[in-house]
């Protein structure tokens, strides 16, 4: 029997802790998306975090919770890119060593972004399972603290701080559209949002191929998925079988999951750039893709779409923008 050990009070404590490192991002209303959907659509601009994604919230909370002794041994992690960059960013500010293990699927520009922050990057294996194994074995030998990208109580509480900002600015929100991969973002945001207002609907948005959390919730247990390349590279990867928090929390909190194709994500990236003047990576734009398909349907009139990150290769974005007019869905 596992119990939910993370509470709103953990999120409130995280907020005080991370306030000097993260940025309170804008909640901006979107005229084009409101017109398209007939609802009031707000965008939470996490692409504007200094590390380029919301992952900074969880990484900051996890690292600031470490003892001086643990800090002196450094931190290590496995990442699809953005968590690694966030850990590297916080480690640089705090002045500790960081090692980031990535798989061969992680784009080169994300590896370079991490290295520029002074962290060591180790490319290990074809998928995230291989890279995780590498990180854990180094940690066992050298003593660094391993910080999971999503299945960690401090990471989850850190991500939850975003929900506090959203609901302080607009207490009328009826539904939140949240990227769903390992489920750290969803768990934290849903925990805080439903603690404040249990009527809020939590809608997960995942990639169609390799949606580990969706497949696992459907099956009622954690199932393996194949990791296939996607324009939403931050949403790839399986759920480890020893998952402690996010599977149970997502099962409990998520009201609906919408699956999106790569083609739809590309259209949303072009829409964001052309209509909203926003630079988003595929994962960040996937919630917009859902709105462009007129999903979700059965929710109230005030929707917030989280735009989780903007770490995209600029040449790739320009190529995608050139191929799509950014108007139709
Ligand atoms: C990590 C990440 C996600 C997914 O977060 P999970 O906690 O793994 O569900 C979504 N978008 C971006 C940009 C990310 O970096």
């Amino acid at each position: 029997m596992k119990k939910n050990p993370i509470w709103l009070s953990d999120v409130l404590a995280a907020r005080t802790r991370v306030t000097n490192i993260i940025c309170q991002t804008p909640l901006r209303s979107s005229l084009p998306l409101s017109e398209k959907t007939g609802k009031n659509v707000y965008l939470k601009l996490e692409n504007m975090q200094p590390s380029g994604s919301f992952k900074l919230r969880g990484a900051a909370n996890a690292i600031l919770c470490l003892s001086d002794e643990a800090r002196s041994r450094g931190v290590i992690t496995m990442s699809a890119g953005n968590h690694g960059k966030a850990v590297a960013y916080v480690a640089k500010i705090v002045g500790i060593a960081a090692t980031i293990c990535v798989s061969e699927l992680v784009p080169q520009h994300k590896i370079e972004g991490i290295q520029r922050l002074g962290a060591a990057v180790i490319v290990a294996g074809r998928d995230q399972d291989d890279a995780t194994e590498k990180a854990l074995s180094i940690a066992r030998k050298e003593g660094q603290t391993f910080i999971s990208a999503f299945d960690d109580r401090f990471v989850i509480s850190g991500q939850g701080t975003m929900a506090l900002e959203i609901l302080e600015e607009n207490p009328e929100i009826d539904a939140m559209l949240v990227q769903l991969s390992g489920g750290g973002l969803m768990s934290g945001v849903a925990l805080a949002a439903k603690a404040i207002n249990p009527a809020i609907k939590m809608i997960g948005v995942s990639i169609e191929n390799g949606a580990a959390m969706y497949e696992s919730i459907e099956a009622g247990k954690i199932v393996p998925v194949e990791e296939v390349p996607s324009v939403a590279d931050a949403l790839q990867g399986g759920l480890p079988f020893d998952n402690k928090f996010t599977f149970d929390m997502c099962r409990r909190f998520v009201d609906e999951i919408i699956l999106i194709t790569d083609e739809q994500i590309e259209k949303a990236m072009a829409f964001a750039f052309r209509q909203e003047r926003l630079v988003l990576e595929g994962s960040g734009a996937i919630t917009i893709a859902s709105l462009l398909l007129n999903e979700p349907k059965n929710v109230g009139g005030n929707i917030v779409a989280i735009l989780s990150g903007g770490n995209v290769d600029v040449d790739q974005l320009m190529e995608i923008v050139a191929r799509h007019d950014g108007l139709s869905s």
Side-chain angles (χ1 to χ4, degrees):
M1 260 288 284
K2 280 189 279 186
K3 261 177 135 184
N4 171 18
I6 307 175
W7 305 96
L8 180 61
S9 56
D10 295 304
V11 181
L12 293 168
R15 192 184 198 183
T16 315
R17 217 173 273 130
V18 304
T19 180
N20 289 332
I21 293 182
I22 68 138
C23 124
Q24 172 148 356
T25 56
L27 184 68
R28 195 173 88 178
S29 91
S30 165
L31 221 59
L33 285 169
S34 298
E35 270 169 14
K36 253 189 189 313
T37 58
K39 299 186 188 289
N40 300 316
V41 176
Y42 301 87
L43 306 174
K44 180 65 170 164
L45 304 187
E46 287 296 302
N47 56 310
M48 290 178 66
Q49 289 294 351
S51 74
S53 82
F54 74 91
K55 291 266 184 2
L56 192 59
R57 297 173 182 270
N61 193 41
I63 290 177
L64 293 176
C65 283
L66 294 176
S67 67
D68 288 346
E69 190 272 326
R71 287 185 195 196
S72 72
R73 285 184 276 116
V75 290
I76 190 164
T77 189
M78 186 288 300
S79 167
N82 287 339
H83 172 66
K85 189 172 179 190
V87 166
Y89 181 91
V90 181
K92 187 182 170 77
I93 290 182
V94 176
I96 65 175
T99 306
I100 316 297
C101 295
V102 299
S103 81
E104 285 158 11
L105 279 178
V106 172
Q108 188 59 28
H109 74 95
K110 285 194 169 169
I111 291 179
E112 285 162 12
I114 296 169
Q115 287 169 332
R116 271 197 297 277
L117 289 164
V121 176
I122 297 174
V123 182
R126 283 206 321 279
D127 60 22
Q128 296 192 7
D129 294 343
D130 294 346
T132 302
E133 214 168 282
K134 182 77 180 172
L136 290 173
S137 93
I138 295 174
R140 272 193 299 272
K141 265 187 248 132
E142 300 179 9
Q144 298 99 324
T145 302
F146 178 84
I147 302 176
S148 165
F150 53 84
D151 199 29
D152 175 287
R153 61 179 300 124
F154 299 112
V155 168
I156 292 169
S157 332
Q159 318 309 25
T161 60
M162 191 194 308
L164 305 179
E165 291 173 17
I166 293 169
L167 293 175
E168 276 168 17
E169 239 180 281
N170 189 341
E172 310 282 291
I173 294 295
D174 298 300
M176 295 189 177
L177 257 69
V178 185
Q179 289 77 2
L180 183 59
S181 176
L185 173 61
M186 174 60 93
S187 296
V189 168
L191 162 76
K194 293 215 181 200
I196 293 166
N197 176 5
I200 292 180
K201 292 276 179 281
M202 300 304 303
I203 318 288
V205 191
S206 295
I207 44 175
E208 193 178 66
N209 292 318
M213 186 62 82
Y214 170 78
E215 304 287 350
S216 298
I217 290 176
E218 287 290 296
K221 60 174 199 285
I222 292 175
V223 294
V225 293
E226 205 194 329
E227 213 172 310
V228 283
S230 164
V231 65
D233 50 81
L235 300 181
Q236 291 164 185
L239 273 182
F241 290 108
D242 61 353
N243 185 281
K244 291 192 290 288
F245 298 104
T246 60
F247 179 53
D248 285 343
M249 291 177 80
C250 288
R251 266 209 286 198
R252 186 168 139 211
F253 290 132
V254 175
D255 294 286
E256 183 184 341
I257 297 176
I258 295 162
L259 300 179
I260 302 287
T261 65
D262 267 32
E263 174 76 5
Q264 289 157 350
I265 295 170
E266 288 194 353
K267 285 177 176 168
M269 292 167 81
F271 179 93
F273 188 79
R274 291 178 183 271
Q275 310 294 320
E276 304 279 355
R277 309 283 147 154
L278 290 174
V279 169
L280 298 180
E281 59 185 286
S283 308
I286 197 171
T287 47
I288 290 182
S290 164
L291 291 167
L292 291 175
L293 292 167
N294 243 314
E295 296 282 351
K297 290 203 172 59
N298 300 314
V299 293
N302 296 308
I303 305 187
V304 55
I306 292 174
L307 307 185
S308 54
N311 290 327
V312 60
D313 179 76
V314 174
D315 294 331
Q316 185 198 9
L317 177 64
M318 291 304 105
E319 186 267 319
I320 289 170
V321 169
R323 272 193 288 115
H324 299 277
D325 62 13
L327 290 172
S328 53
S329 59

